[in-house]
Amino acid sequence: KAMAFDNSFEEIIQLVQAVLGRSQANQGHVSDAEAAHNVLSTFVKYNAYIGYCQGMSFIVMFLLELGFKEDEAFSVLRYVCN
């Protein structure tokens, strides 16, 4: 179910922040949180139909940990979701 139709952009961004907080607590990665937030927020704006889906944060955090830049991580996420 696409969350973008049920929630405002601000509510989705709050959800993204909460999920990233849990991801950091579970995995111990704090440094990439801001970059992941930027990538996920941009994706929500880019594709309102999909919006944010569970698991996207793990994909983005993984890409950032591998050394991908924000724009590269966004491109991979966009490709995977399309």
Side-chain angles (χ1 to χ4, degrees):
K1 182 177 178 183
M3 294 180 62
F5 292 125
D6 298 325
N7 301 55
S8 70
F9 176 74
E10 292 79 21
E11 290 171 326
I12 294 171
I13 296 306
Q14 288 176 353
L15 174 64
V16 167
Q17 290 172 335
V19 169
L20 288 174
R22 286 193 302 268
S23 297
Q24 292 170 9
N26 292 337
Q27 299 176 9
H29 304 290
V30 178
S31 61
D32 293 329
E34 186 175 340
H37 178 267
N38 293 341
V39 171
L40 293 167
S41 298
T42 302
F43 185 82
V44 169
K45 290 178 187 176
Y46 166 77
N47 192 332
Y49 180 75
I50 293 176
Y52 174 78
C53 297
Q54 185 175 359
M56 284 182 172
S57 61
F58 292 102
I59 294 169
V60 171
M61 291 292 282
F62 177 73
L63 293 170
L64 293 170
E65 288 173 26
L66 289 176
F68 283 67
K69 297 177 185 171
E70 288 181 28
D71 60 331
E72 296 168 333
F74 173 78
S75 294
V76 171
L77 183 64
R78 187 182 66 192
Y79 180 78
V80 168
C81 291
N82 286 331

